[in-house]
Amino acid sequence: MARIAVIGAGMGAMSAAARLAVAGHRVTVYERSETFGGSLGRHAQGGFAFDTGPSLLHLPAVYRDLFVKTGKEPLERCVTLSQVDPASRHVFADGTSVSLPNASRSGVVTALDAALGDGAGERWGAFLDRAGDAWDRSRRPLLEEPLRPDWQVLARDPYPAPVRRRLLRPALRAGTVAEVGSWELADPRLAALFDGYALSYGLDPLHAPASAALLPYMEETFGSWYVSGGMRALAQAVYERCLARKVEFVFGAEVARVVEKDGRAAGVELADGTVREAAHVVLGAQPRPALMPGQEIWRDGDVTVQPRPGGAGATGRFLVLLSLRGARPSDAVHRTLVHPADGAAERAAVFGGRLAARPTVTVLRPDDPSIRPDAAHEAVTLMATVAPHGAVDWTDAALRERYADTLIDAAEAAVPGLRERVLHAEVRTPAETEAETGAAGGAVPPPALAGAGGGYLHAGNSTRVPGLLLAGGWSHPGGGPAHAGMSGTLVAGLIVEGDGFRGSQ
């Protein structure tokens, strides 16, 4: 039985901690803030409650596996999950709209044909078939195994883009999200649909590889799930599972550096100078060189934690949390995306460090009595992907208010009469994300993607320093609750089984 120190209490870190405790290790989690959950935060006011991070769970099997492997109580005894149906509604600039059913390929095809015209569904369905091929080719090394030393195998895009033959000129294949939208999906509304998936994960469609097709594929194949009480309830359940497995949590404990002895990680030093010895250290927060003064954590040629320009980790989230008078209509859709007329202008602004005049706005309207004071009120969240704090001064009160108005104006297309119903609006920006999670600029890590020469991969779970491992959204296989949970599984496996661990079979 070894003593293990975990830095951070995010979902990846807690997933690793619970698994390691079950394996017989003594695990202590050191968290700089006063609570757990990382990006799965919660804001409550006047009987209303809102998620301040991800609002839906995809690939719930990740957490089902965690709960099965760490105790007798399955996930569904600890939280209530329900499939969101329709999975999403999309409102386009030309006035057309479409609602896409949850986890139903044929239903999506039918809905797209009915809303956008014959052939639209067929093109989207063929696109998802190719995305399924990419999933089969890359799923295991990208999601289920620790990042291999020869990670360059993931540098090649697994998406099988069809060849575009041209008279007297070389044939072309789509290599980015934007090219897939333009060349394969053809209809600008279908292209906006795919762009919306990329943007929601903080990926620039102009640069993100075509393998980002895995994102709509996973949602439309495995479904979108809502956790009653919000995603914070999932974080609470994982935290309680850790406590039941005797994981110790120390809150308000900022780790200043990882202690090194004889060339390996040997514990942590807290900001107050206290040193805690450990046989292994799991870093569940954004990696920063100051944690290991004088040490190079990543070898030359390793996947770097620094994104390419316009690539992973370059954006944050702007939220408007609306407390509304009036009941939620029975036919309201849980998640609606309002797409702008000029997606290119939005991309240029967001990934150029500026405000988009007309952003893509996600409108979230959960049908959950526990997040509103009574049936005569409704809690609604508006979200847009934005440039990080620093590129934009998100502490500017006037700017925050103006941009909140921009989102509310756009959301009227999904919730007519929205502004007249507002009792209170709470604004949260990347500045708050940075303060609460420690992520530079309040950036939100996206899932890892294959292709683009490996530029959309994350740092591997093992590091150059023996005994130091990485878990959570800033490490392989990237951001989002499901991916963070996967990283915890991989880290626990590497510690328990050693460097030969290759993931679950």
Side-chain angles (χ1 to χ4, degrees), residues 71 133 172 194 228 257 324 334 350 363 384 415-416 443 469 497:
D133 289 344
L172 292 177
F194 189 18
S228 294
R257 69 182 182 94
L324 304 182
H334 184 113
V350 171
V363 182
V415 189
L469 297 100
E497 299 187 25

Side-chain angles (χ1 to χ4, degrees), residues 21 48 93 143 241 243 308 331 346 408 422 462:
F48 295 89
L143 301 176
R241 178 54 54 92
L243 294 179
R308 293 184 171 192
D331 60 350
E346 177 186 20
I408 291 172
V422 175
S462 298

Side-chain angles (χ1 to χ4, degrees), residues 287-470:
R288 47 191 173 91
L291 285 172
M292 292 289 291
Q295 279 277 13
E296 290 294 333
I297 298 177
W298 298 278
R299 298 182 181 88
D300 291 341
D302 280 354
V303 175
T304 173
V305 297
Q306 296 298 322
R308 293 184 171 192
T315 65
R317 293 191 183 101
F318 184 95
L319 301 176
V320 185
L321 313 178
L322 297 175
S323 303
L324 304 182
R325 64 173 62 86
R328 179 186 186 274
S330 59
D331 60 350
V333 174
H334 184 113
R335 177 176 56 165
T336 299
L337 275 73
V338 181
H339 299 273
D342 192 346
E346 177 186 20
R347 294 192 299 263
V350 171
F351 297 97
R354 307 186 306 277
L355 289 181
R358 293 290 184 268
T360 300
V361 176
T362 300
V363 182
L364 299 166
R365 308 179 72 182
D367 186 10
D368 184 349
S370 71
I371 65 169
R372 56 186 182 243
D374 53 49
H377 294 84
E378 183 181 6
V380 170
T381 298
L382 312 182
M383 191 277 287
T385 297
V386 295
H389 182 49
V392 172
D393 181 8
W394 287 117
T395 63
D396 184 325
L399 181 148
R400 291 159 64 102
E401 184 176 352
R402 287 197 307 271
Y403 212 59
D405 282 340
T406 296
L407 266 64
I408 291 172
D409 286 343
E412 289 272 357
V415 189
L418 173 63
R419 188 177 294 277
E420 288 69 31
R421 295 177 58 197
V422 175
L423 293 170
H424 179 77
E426 181 74 19
V427 173
R428 294 180 61 87
T429 76
E432 282 76 33
T433 303
E434 181 178 55
E436 293 175 4
T437 69
V444 178
L449 297 175
Y456 288 79
L457 299 174
H458 292 262
N461 307 107
S462 298
T463 71
R464 184 175 183 176
V465 181
L468 176 62
L469 297 100
L470 307 182

